[in-house]
Amino acid sequence: MQGLEDQLLNEVVGHERKDLQKQREDLIQTISRNNITLVELEESILRELTENSGNILENKLLIATLEDAKAKSVAIAEQLAESTTTAEEIEKVTDMYRPAASRGAVLFFSIAGLSAISSMYEFSLETYLEVFVKSLQHSPRDSVIAARVARIIDTLTRDVYDYTCTGIFEKHKLMYSFQMTTMIMAGSGQLDRGQLDFFLKGNIALEDVKERPPPGAEWLSEAGWKDLNRLVSLPTSVDYIATSAAKPGDAPSVNDNDENDKKTRKEEEESGSATSAVDEQKKENRKEQDTAEAKEEVIQKAGDLPFESLLTELATNVAEWKKWYDLERPEEAPLPYSKRLSPLQRLNVLRCFRPDRVYNAVRNFVIESMGSDYFVQPPVLQYDRIYNQSSESSPVVFILSPGADPMSSLQNLAMQRGMFPQKFKHLALGQGQSRIAEKMLDIGSHRGHWVLLQNCHLLTSWLPTLEKILDGMAKPHPDFRLFLTTDPTPRFPLGILQRSFKVVTEPPDGLKLNMKSSYSKITQEELDECPHWAYRPLVYVLSFFHAVVQERRKFGKVGWNVAYDFNDSDFNVSRRLLSMYLTKAHANKDEVIPWGSLRYLIGEAMYGGRVTDSFDRRVLITYLNEYMGDFLFDSHQPFFFAKLQTPQSTFDYKIPEWGPLSNYTAMIESLPLDNSPQVFGLHSNAEIQYNTNAVRSMWRSLIDLQPRSTVSGVGISREEYIGKVACEVLSKVPAPFDMLAVRHELEEAAAVAADEAAAAAAAAAAAAADAGAATNATAAGMSGSLLRGEFKDPDDPAAHAAPLSPTTIVLLQELERWNRLVRKMRNSLSELQSALAGTVGMSPELDELAEALFNGSLPKSWRLLAPRTRKGLSSWMAHFQRRYEQYRDWAQRGSDPKVMWLAGLHIPESYLTALVQTTCRRKGWPLDKSTLYTRVTTMMSEDEVEERPEDGCYLSGLYLEGAGWDVDAPNGGCLKVQQAKQLVQALPLLQVIPIESNKTKLQGTIKGPVYITQARRSAMGQGLVFEADLRTDVHESHWVLQGVALVLNTDD
């Protein structure tokens, strides 16, 4: 960073003090010439001495050369001494501008690291220098150097923030604000790395906390309690104390400079000169005194435990902590803790108690640390500003997101600039379009056209050619502009990204802004084009529906399994369909509105054409069933999209009165800016889930951005910490199963089971009294013989082995996958220990493993061989050990577990399929006409189960998301509304029952999807296990919109 700081310092001094910069350059040249002269003199003397053949004292030329060299060297020495003094004086003045260069270097590295999050976030030093110089040019002037530097820092920080936020997605903007803030704090010595490390990772220790929360604090989550036990032992970093104490007030808040400026200006006016010797001596004395005091402070504070009494105060004051915990915004209320904490330390406490509020608390942290709310308010996308920042030699790259298209906005800008339509050329890239694009670029660069190339991600093979074309443009026309649109893709050339001005386009955020955007493209004439009276209110309903399906995306997987690209074209075509069908109904004087056709075309064809997930399609159709029908116009029972009543406000979302366009736009203007999840049919907990997922995503991104520290957060070196974790994990990894021995034991157990079945059949036959019974006994005996394999070929080695059941085969397949994972873990950990010891080289895979162990995350090489999971290393190891125990007990017992922990299987759906196969074999059902249904029992644990059912099984470890379960309801319980702050609830044991398909007649139930993790199902359809039948006493549409599902594994 020092090299970049010096480079930026030259830029600052060259801009602010051209005379000083020139004097400095002349001085460097003078010193260089003098040094060269000295070298030449030495070489001349050596040459004369070497060539001299006689007496040196008689060589007059040599003596004259020596005298001349002596005189010159004395003069040069005097000049060098003067130059050194002058250089020191110049350096003192130059160093007064160094804080601006230092801030510039910090800001560059804050954006340079963003490429670790997305390959589209590439920023070059060349483009950054342009931003840096522009900030110098338009920052407010001041005659006092300290005040001028403060204003440069302020302007530069804001400009870099605006520049960066324009080119990154909304979900990363607050993350960048936090990263920028912490890097600025680190640069001025105000960041405690240990506290930051805990904030990002929490407690990543592998062992669980043995102590339980104090009485009355059971509301504290398991993960929060574990983090809390680590936090109380977290000391204040000695390096942080030393650095921050040695540099008191080195980096004030951005807006805290006014008083300092006034004080500095007053001192300088009194002294007469900012760089006087007296002032410099005073500053040096003051700095030495501050440093001495700082060292004493380090001795006193080293090892300080700011949270030492936190657990004690929690136990003695549970009621106050619970009251703070239950607050809607606890981050804005004072902590019920006796010690004074820094902003980062308060964040750590909040992480333990209310992680769902950390995302909002980060905003407060940035505001408090930077002294301004500017850095949590990203700039609004303005196309005029984009044009002003563009140039003929730098393309503008629009990075697209679902539901956003800059085409219409660029056309409007071109109209304002007089470029549309003659000089505005656009082309959607695809196969065979490269030659046309090259021709457009050639003509446009010479004639000053605006060229828009859309969907560059569809023709990435041609983009290197585009990069060469841009490199070859010597002097393009000043009016020439190149606009590119692309989805995020790792194949986009870095050369184009680094030289371009990147702009991220996203749809309007919020229901109100989304509906305003839709109605901004509708005119009164378009509303008048359909004579049917229902057209205008239905356009409003369609606009509301369009906004809802887009806003539902923000709630993650609870909203949609796949983030679909619903956009304005869906809305516009659907509006035309409404107009066409209603116009036809009006012409035919048909009073019945064709709801079925409209719902089908809009839900299945237009919007539904983008939907690939069956459960997402169910949500979409449910919305249309709720929003479209004769009930919209029921005068006795008015229709409401939603009716919200909160302690803060009450609002009814309804259709405005029939009338002109202004009626509908006025209703939209009256909508709240912030909308509760209940408006979208979701529970209020969905917002907690959204905030929790947002901060987890932020933590993961920030971890990727952190520099590789040589010291861990626990006070030992990074390598020692990784070696310790590797050794601890390796000790918990069991040896692989001996597959031959396991198979042999399972075959013996199957033979014993077959003999017992045959004996039971023979006993039943002997007890029969009639001839028919005897016949059945013969059949039973044959069945037993078949089970024992008595009719197999006697020469076959497996003639005496009983056939394995389908579930036993599933066990063997599971153990094979388990062994691959175990071997990979043991081998990679052993190799990592050798690499840390220096006996083998550190490969990229081992480096990735070491980084994952250091950060407490699951290594990628292990993740590929393990069941799908979103857990960190600590909780995953607990899951790993429980899986081993289930596999071991299952193999030793030789029969299926009494209760199956389905989350412990690598492919859980294979076991359920095997259950159906087993029942079909026993009862003679056709496999293709058999299925299974489920019933939620009243049993909560395996201890309550007396025996395994004859057909099917009991499943444990399922969690309900999007709803609660009422165990006290009649008939074994049913779905109920979630409790506040309870995002998931453990479900009682679920009984799986195989049945013939034509005999399933279920009423009062809803099909709830069962997913492996809370990530639910991906766009590729992976993650769904089966569908469970859940009882409900309300209409199923309520639970469909709530996003009800079961998961096998919860997140950390």
Side-chain angles (χ1 to χ4, degrees):
M1 187 178 290
Q2 186 62 43
L4 177 59
E5 183 178 318
D6 293 338
Q7 182 180 350
L8 295 179
L9 182 60
N10 290 333
E11 293 285 344
V12 176
V13 174
H15 182 272
E16 298 296 310
R17 295 286 301 272
K18 290 183 174 60
D19 59 327
L20 195 66
Q21 182 73 0
K22 187 177 186 306
Q23 184 181 357
R24 185 183 183 188
E25 292 173 357
D26 293 343
L27 185 63
I28 293 174
Q29 293 177 1
T30 301
I31 294 174
S32 177
R33 284 195 299 269
N34 288 335
N35 287 331
I36 292 172
T37 302
L38 286 175
V39 172
E40 290 175 348
L41 289 173
E42 291 176 0
E43 291 177 349
S44 175
I45 293 172
L46 290 174
R47 184 173 59 255
E48 292 293 338
L49 289 173
T50 304
E51 293 175 354
N52 180 64
S53 56
N55 189 349
I56 296 178
L57 298 177
E58 296 177 357
N59 191 334
K60 296 182 180 180
L61 179 60
L62 177 59
I63 294 173
T65 301
L66 290 174
E67 290 177 350
D68 181 57
K70 180 180 179 182
K72 286 183 177 181
S73 62
V74 170
I76 290 175
E78 292 176 353
Q79 291 180 8
L80 286 176
E82 293 177 0
S83 298
T84 302
T85 303
T86 305
E88 290 176 354
E89 294 176 354
I90 293 175
E91 193 67 25
K92 287 181 180 180
V93 179
T94 301
D95 278 346
M96 298 179 70
Y97 294 98
R98 186 169 290 276
S102 178
R103 175 64 62 88
V106 169
L107 292 175
F108 172 74
F109 284 107
S110 74
I111 66 174
L114 293 176
S115 58
I117 299 174
S118 172
S119 58
M120 303 301 292
Y121 296 167
E122 284 287 345
F123 298 90
S124 67
L125 180 58
E126 181 182 357
T127 56
Y128 177 78
L129 285 175
E130 294 177 5
V131 178
F132 187 84
V133 172
K134 286 181 180 178
S135 298
L136 294 176
Q137 293 171 350
H138 72 260
S139 57
R141 311 293 299 184
D142 199 294
S143 58
V144 179
I145 294 179
R148 169 63 176 159
V149 169
R151 282 158 172 70
I152 291 176
I153 291 175
D154 187 8
T155 304
L156 176 63
T157 307
R158 291 169 184 257
D159 287 353
V160 172
Y161 174 75
D162 290 345
Y163 174 77
T164 306
C165 286
T166 303
I168 61 179
F169 287 103
E170 189 70 32
K171 62 183 179 182
H172 292 142
K173 290 178 181 178
L174 183 60
M175 179 276 301
Y176 173 71
S177 296
F178 182 85
Q179 173 70 1
M180 180 184 72
T181 301
T182 54
M183 289 190 68
I184 291 173
M185 293 172 64
S188 59
Q190 297 177 345
L191 180 68
D192 188 333
R193 281 288 176 188
Q195 296 288 338
L196 177 63
D197 190 66
F198 176 84
F199 175 69
L200 299 182
K201 303 175 186 177
N203 188 353
I204 58 176
L206 297 182
E207 63 274 5
D208 292 329
V209 178
K210 297 179 180 179
E211 298 82 5
R212 304 308 305 160
E218 291 78 11
W219 40 267
L220 192 60
S221 69
E222 185 176 344
W225 175 245
K226 184 177 180 180
D227 285 347
L228 202 57
N229 277 268
R230 172 73 185 102
L231 183 63
V232 295
S233 61
L234 192 66
T236 302
S237 170
V238 177
D239 293 336
Y240 156 70
I241 299 171
T243 313
S244 60
K247 295 184 177 182
D250 226 17
S253 298
V254 174
N255 284 351
D256 287 346
N257 294 308
D258 291 342
E259 293 298 324
N260 295 336
D261 295 344
K262 294 177 181 177
K263 183 178 179 181
T264 304
R265 188 177 287 106
K266 184 177 180 181
E267 290 177 353
E268 292 183 0
E269 289 174 355
E270 291 175 353
S271 63
S273 174
T275 57
S276 66
V278 177
D279 282 348
E280 291 299 327
Q281 187 61 44
K282 287 182 179 179
K283 290 179 182 178
E284 290 297 325
N285 295 339
R286 192 160 55 244
K287 184 181 293 185
E288 292 177 3
Q289 182 180 356
D290 289 342
T291 303
E293 293 175 355
K295 290 180 179 179
E296 182 66 26
E297 186 178 0
V298 170
I299 297 174
Q300 295 175 359
K301 286 188 176 180
D304 181 35
L305 299 175
F307 306 101
E308 186 176 16
S309 61
L310 183 58
L311 288 182
T312 304
E313 294 191 24
L314 173 63
T316 57
N317 202 7
V318 172
E320 282 297 316
W321 282 96
K322 181 66 167 63
K323 183 179 178 181
W324 174 80
Y325 171 85
D326 288 333
L327 291 174
E328 185 178 355
R329 294 183 175 90
E331 70 277 8
E332 298 177 1
L335 284 171
Y337 185 52
S338 59
K339 289 191 176 182
R340 185 179 178 182
L341 302 176
S342 69
L344 185 55
Q345 290 170 340
R346 293 199 301 270
L347 274 182
N348 286 336
V349 175
L350 192 66
R351 175 196 169 102
C352 298
F353 287 90
R354 288 289 299 275
D356 61 291
R357 300 304 303 175
V358 170
Y359 193 80
N360 296 277
V362 167
R363 287 191 177 93
N364 299 340
F365 171 81
V366 173
I367 293 172
E368 186 174 356
S369 300
M370 297 295 291
S372 170
D373 61 357
Y374 186 90
F375 302 99
V376 294
Q377 298 179 8
V380 178
L381 186 60
Q382 297 177 344
Y383 283 81
D384 283 335
R385 184 171 61 86
I386 293 172
Y387 174 77
N388 293 332
Q389 290 184 275
S390 66
S391 67
E392 65 274 15
S393 58
S394 298
V396 178
V397 177
F398 289 94
I399 305 173
L400 304 177
S401 59
D405 187 0
M407 178 65 176
S408 59
S409 299
L410 281 175
Q411 286 180 340
N412 293 334
L413 179 65
M415 288 181 186
Q416 296 172 8
R417 299 283 175 172
M419 305 297 291
F420 188 87
Q422 289 82 8
K423 291 188 175 184
F424 183 83
K425 309 298 179 182
H426 62 92
L427 176 67
L429 295 182
Q431 188 173 4
Q433 301 295 311
S434 57
R435 291 185 178 275
I436 302 174
E438 292 172 11
K439 186 177 180 181
M440 290 175 63
L441 289 170
D442 182 52
I443 296 174
S445 62
H446 287 91
R447 299 183 182 179
H449 292 173
W450 286 13
V451 179
L452 170 61
L453 300 181
Q454 298 171 283
N455 302 327
C456 293
H457 57 280
L458 300 180
L459 198 63
T460 52
S461 59
W462 176 74
L463 293 182
T465 304
L466 173 62
E467 185 177 1
K468 294 178 182 178
I469 293 174
L470 295 176
D471 291 337
M473 287 185 182
K475 292 182 178 180
H477 193 283
D479 292 337
F480 172 69
R481 293 294 184 275
L482 175 60
F483 302 97
L484 308 174
T485 71
T486 177
D487 282 353
T489 172
R491 298 179 62 187
F492 205 95
L494 297 183
I496 298 179
L497 287 174
Q498 290 182 343
R499 71 188 295 174
S500 66
F501 178 50
K502 290 171 284 297
V503 180
V504 168
T505 58
E506 295 183 280
D509 184 23
L511 186 73
K512 177 178 179 177
L513 296 180
N514 206 304
M515 294 186 69
K516 282 183 66 174
S517 175
S518 297
Y519 263 84
S520 67
K521 303 176 180 68
I522 300 175
T523 63
Q524 182 64 50
E525 290 73 18
E526 289 174 332
L527 284 184
D528 294 337
E529 70 182 11
C530 179
H532 199 288
W533 62 271
Y535 177 65
R536 297 185 186 186
L538 284 181
V539 170
Y540 186 86
V541 170
L542 182 64
S543 171
F544 193 92
F545 166 77
H546 178 71
V548 164
V549 296
Q550 291 197 85
E551 285 302 301
R552 192 177 172 95
R553 282 196 303 248
K554 69 179 286 188
F555 299 103
K557 295 296 184 175
V558 176
W560 300 107
N561 279 333
V562 181
Y564 300 106
D565 185 15
F566 300 123
N567 54 41
D568 290 343
S569 64
D570 299 319
F571 173 76
N572 293 330
V573 176
S574 298
R575 184 171 58 81
R576 294 192 188 101
L577 286 173
L578 277 177
S579 177
M580 182 179 67
Y581 271 79
L582 293 179
T583 301
K584 183 178 179 180
H586 182 269
N588 296 335
K589 298 182 179 180
D590 190 353
E591 295 182 0
V592 178
I593 297 176
W595 296 115
S597 299
L598 291 174
R599 283 193 293 258
Y600 179 82
L601 289 172
I602 296 173
E604 296 286 354
M606 297 313 306
Y607 287 86
R610 300 182 184 275
V611 178
T612 57
D613 185 274
S614 59
F615 289 100
D616 286 345
R617 186 179 299 274
R618 184 172 71 168
V619 171
L620 190 71
I621 297 302
T622 300
Y623 272 129
L624 288 171
N625 290 335
E626 293 289 315
Y627 291 169
M628 286 193 169
D630 290 329
F631 51 80
L632 289 174
F633 311 111
D634 189 341
S635 57
H636 299 289
Q637 187 174 356
F639 171 78
F640 296 95
F641 295 104
K643 296 183 70 173
L644 297 185
Q645 293 183 352
T646 64
Q648 292 78 21
S649 62
T650 300
F651 192 85
D652 295 338
Y653 292 81
K654 60 183 179 180
I655 302 174
E657 293 183 4
W658 195 94
L661 178 65
S662 58
N663 279 24
Y664 303 96
T665 55
M667 174 61 76
I668 294 173
E669 287 294 338
S670 68
L671 295 176
L673 272 175
D674 297 323
N675 305 113
S676 166
Q678 294 165 299
V679 177
F680 313 105
L682 294 161
H683 191 274
S684 58
N685 281 349
E687 188 167 10
I688 297 177
Q689 183 97 28
Y690 164 74
N691 290 331
T692 303
N693 291 337
V695 76
R696 285 173 177 167
S697 176
M698 177 191 290
W699 284 332
R700 287 192 294 268
S701 299
L702 287 169
I703 288 174
D704 292 336
L705 294 179
Q706 298 311 302
R708 288 201 170 189
S709 174
T710 57
V711 180
S712 70
V714 293
I716 59 177
S717 71
R718 183 177 185 274
E719 287 72 20
E720 289 175 332
Y721 178 78
I722 293 173
K724 177 184 176 183
V725 175
C727 183
E728 188 175 353
V729 173
L730 187 59
S731 67
K732 297 177 182 293
V733 179
F737 286 96
D738 186 339
M739 293 303 297
L740 291 178
V742 170
R743 176 177 283 275
H744 179 70
E745 293 174 0
L746 292 174
E747 288 175 347
E748 286 186 346
V752 171
D755 289 337
E756 292 176 352
D770 51 60
T775 303
N776 291 337
T778 303
M782 293 178 63
S783 176
S785 298
L786 286 170
L787 287 172
R788 292 192 302 272
E790 293 177 2
F791 293 99
K792 292 183 179 180
D793 184 358
D795 296 330
D796 187 353
H800 301 288
L804 298 176
S805 68
T807 55
T808 304
I809 293 173
V810 168
L811 171 61
L812 293 173
Q813 294 171 345
E814 287 285 325
L815 292 182
E816 289 176 356
R817 297 185 184 94
W818 169 266
N819 281 352
R820 285 198 290 270
L821 172 62
V822 167
R823 292 191 185 99
K824 182 66 177 179
M825 293 176 66
R826 294 173 70 90
N827 292 339
S828 59
L829 288 171
S830 298
E831 290 176 7
L832 177 61
Q833 289 178 329
S834 300
L836 293 174
T839 56
V840 299
M842 183 72 78
S843 66
E845 181 179 339
L846 293 179
D847 187 59
E848 186 274 332
L849 173 61
E851 187 71 14
L853 296 182
F854 183 73
N855 293 328
S857 59
L858 184 62
K860 182 179 179 180
S861 58
W862 299 0
R863 188 185 298 274
L864 295 174
L865 299 175
R868 293 163 60 91
T869 184
R870 299 175 76 186
K871 296 180 180 293
L873 181 62
S874 174
S875 54
W876 184 84
M877 284 302 300
H879 184 273
F880 173 84
Q881 290 176 293
R882 187 177 173 188
R883 284 184 67 203
Y884 169 70
E885 292 169 1
Q886 177 166 270
Y887 285 143
R888 181 197 60 198
D889 296 344
W890 190 356
Q892 291 177 351
R893 187 170 48 248
S895 59
D896 294 2
K898 186 168 58 174
V899 175
M900 174 60 69
W901 180 51
L902 202 60
L905 302 182
H906 191 105
I907 305 180
E909 53 266 38
S910 64
Y911 180 77
L912 300 175
T913 303
L915 288 177
V916 178
Q917 289 177 342
T918 301
T919 303
C920 288
R921 288 184 184 183
R922 195 177 67 82
K923 295 187 176 182
W925 296 345
L927 183 60
D928 59 340
K929 295 183 180 180
S930 302
T931 184
L932 54 83
Y933 79 96
T934 62
R935 181 177 64 86
V936 181
T937 69
T938 58
M939 298 177 289
M940 296 300 298
S941 68
E942 182 178 351
D943 298 334
E944 300 178 53
V945 179
E946 296 180 357
E947 61 180 359
R948 178 184 173 85
E950 185 177 11
D951 294 316
C953 70
Y954 292 111
L955 300 180
S956 66
L958 279 79
Y959 297 90
L960 188 60
E961 187 177 30
W965 187 260
D966 186 0
V967 294
D968 298 325
N971 301 320
C974 68
L975 293 171
K976 68 173 184 179
V977 177
Q978 279 183 313
Q979 296 181 6
K981 300 185 182 70
Q982 187 177 17
L983 304 183
V984 293
Q985 178 182 343
L987 193 73
L989 298 185
L990 184 72
Q991 184 177 3
V992 175
I993 307 168
I995 192 174
E996 291 181 280
S997 301
N998 58 358
K999 294 182 180 180
T1000 54
K1001 296 180 181 179
L1002 300 175
Q1003 294 181 346
T1005 62
I1006 178 177
K1007 286 286 186 183
V1010 180
Y1011 299 107
I1012 297 177
T1013 69
Q1014 287 183 264
R1016 299 200 175 191
R1017 184 154 61 174
S1018 67
M1020 301 301 294
Q1022 300 174 338
L1024 180 67
V1025 183
F1026 69 104
E1027 298 176 21
D1029 302 295
L1030 303 173
R1031 288 193 66 256
T1032 174
D1033 55 2
V1034 299
H1035 195 272
E1036 69 172 20
S1037 62
H1038 175 78
W1039 304 117
V1040 170
L1041 297 184
Q1042 295 257 309
V1044 172
L1046 292 170
V1047 294
L1048 302 182
N1049 294 283
T1050 59
D1051 299 344
D1052 286 343

